[in-house]
Amino acid sequence: MKLPENNGISFTPTPAGQHLAVLTRFIDLGTQTTTGMYGTKSQRKVQLGWEIPKERITWNRDGVDHEGPVLHVERMTFSSHEKALFRQRLESWRGRPFTEEDFGTFDCKTLLGVGALLQIVHETNNGTTYANLNAILLPPGGKETWPSPEGEIIYFSLDDFDPKIFDGFSDKMKETIASSPEYRALHGAHDERNQTPRDLDDEIPF
C-alpha cells in the first residue's frame, strides 16, 4: 500500500523491515465500493496511520521546511470476520484473540497512542513499489518502550460525526468519505455513486 495522497509533499514508501511505531490515526471511511478479482463489493473501510519516529521525512509547505516521523498508512475492511485482515492484525497486535464479549463493545479509539512493532515488506507492481504491512506485534518491554506521538492524534467516526475533524482532511479524503452512504445519510443525500481504488484487502473472498 502506498502512503497517503500527495498534498504538496513528496513521499516515498515506508522502508522495509521492522519498525517501532505508535498509532496516531484511526479514520472511518464509511462503506466503499471496490472492484477486485472477486467482483464488486461494498464494505466498511477504515484507515489507520502509525508514526515511525526513527524514520524521518522532510518536506516544504508554503515555503516553510518541516521535519517529522514517517507515517505508515493502511486501509482495511472494518470487519470482525475471522478471516478479515483487520481482526487478524488487531489480534496479533494484542497478542490474544478477541472474545465474544469484545464484539460490539471494543472501542477502537483505545488503539490510539498504543505502541506497535510493524513488519513492512516491499512489493513491486508495474514499476511501482508498495510498502505493505505484513505483521503487527505488541513491542516487548511494556508501555515504557512505546514511542510518544509527535504529530496530531486523529480519530474520526461517521457514527459520531465531527465536522471540525472532517474539514481538516485533504480534499481527496473528504471526497472519499463523502461518497459513503453513511455520510450521505447524515447530510440527506441519496447519490448512489461510490467509487474508490481497489484495496489489497479485497483479495479475501467474503
Side-chain angles (χ1 to χ4, degrees), residues 1-2 122-132 198 200 203:
M1 174 179 281
K2 292 186 290 187
H122 281 184
E123 297 180 9
T124 301
N125 186 17
N126 294 326
T128 300
T129 299
Y130 297 85
N132 298 321
R198 180 180 65 86
L200 294 178
E203 303 304 320

Side-chain angles (χ1 to χ4, degrees), residues 147-204:
S148 298
E150 297 183 36
E152 181 182 7
I153 294 180
I154 300 175
Y155 176 80
F156 176 78
S157 172
L158 284 163
D159 294 335
D160 186 19
F161 185 80
D162 188 328
K164 291 183 178 179
I165 296 176
F166 180 80
D167 289 342
F169 292 146
S170 69
D171 289 343
K172 186 174 181 181
M173 176 71 78
K174 286 189 284 189
E175 180 181 355
T176 297
I177 295 172
S179 72
S180 71
E182 291 83 6
Y183 180 93
R184 297 197 303 271
L186 286 171
H187 294 80
H190 301 285
D191 185 354
E192 294 302 322
R193 291 172 298 176
N194 187 10
Q195 300 297 325
T196 56
R198 180 180 65 86
D199 290 286
L200 294 178
D201 201 30
D202 295 334
E203 303 304 320
I204 299 178

